[in-house]
Amino acid sequence: MHYYIDVLKKYATFKGRATRAEFWMFVLIDTIITAALYFGGPALGLGMTPVLVYTLATALPNMAVTVRRLHDTGRSGWNVLWSIIPIGALAVLIMCAGASSTDESYGAYPGTADPLPAV
């Protein structure tokens, strides 16, 4: 759960890198909460309002962690714009699934203050 909270603490931080664990745990918990609100809201007579409010509240952190994950794979954060088109969202997820890059142009590897050794 700390991965989810850490992403929310970095609400609009587009600089730096996000590890695979941070990104995928945020996506998992975000999906579970969205599904619970999707099915729970109408059951409680609230309609789709809780889903809409939650989605709007987490849109920026979701984009920020995706950009940081793309940075960690050695790609530009501008690749997140591929999500605008339907098949592009799948392409962005595939890019985010890649291994971490040793390129430090986007900052030091997460969890270390020292740069990675040259390969």
Side-chain angles (χ1 to χ4, degrees):
M1 189 70 170
H2 73 87
Y3 289 115
Y4 183 78
I5 301 299
D6 289 345
V7 169
L8 293 180
K9 286 180 182 176
K10 299 176 190 174
Y11 192 81
T13 304
F14 290 88
K15 291 183 179 181
R17 300 163 69 152
T19 62
R20 265 194 234 187
E22 180 180 5
F23 176 76
W24 289 111
M25 289 304 292
F26 178 79
V27 169
L28 176 67
I29 294 169
D30 184 57
T31 302
I32 291 170
I33 292 171
T34 302
L37 292 174
Y38 181 80
F39 293 111
L44 296 173
L46 299 173
M48 298 305 286
T49 305
V51 176
L52 178 64
V53 170
Y54 178 77
T55 302
L56 290 174
T58 58
L60 196 57
N62 207 331
M63 187 181 298
V65 75
T66 304
V67 167
R68 290 195 312 270
R69 179 67 197 140
L70 288 170
H71 286 169
D72 190 49
T73 62
R75 294 178 176 89
S76 170
W78 289 104
N79 283 311
V80 79
L81 294 178
W82 285 108
S83 296
I84 294 171
I85 57 175
I87 195 74
L90 181 61
V92 171
L93 281 177
I94 291 170
M95 284 187 248
C96 288
S100 297
S101 170
T102 57
D103 178 26
E104 294 193 353
S105 58
Y106 294 109
Y109 187 75
T112 63
D114 300 326
L116 289 173
V119 180

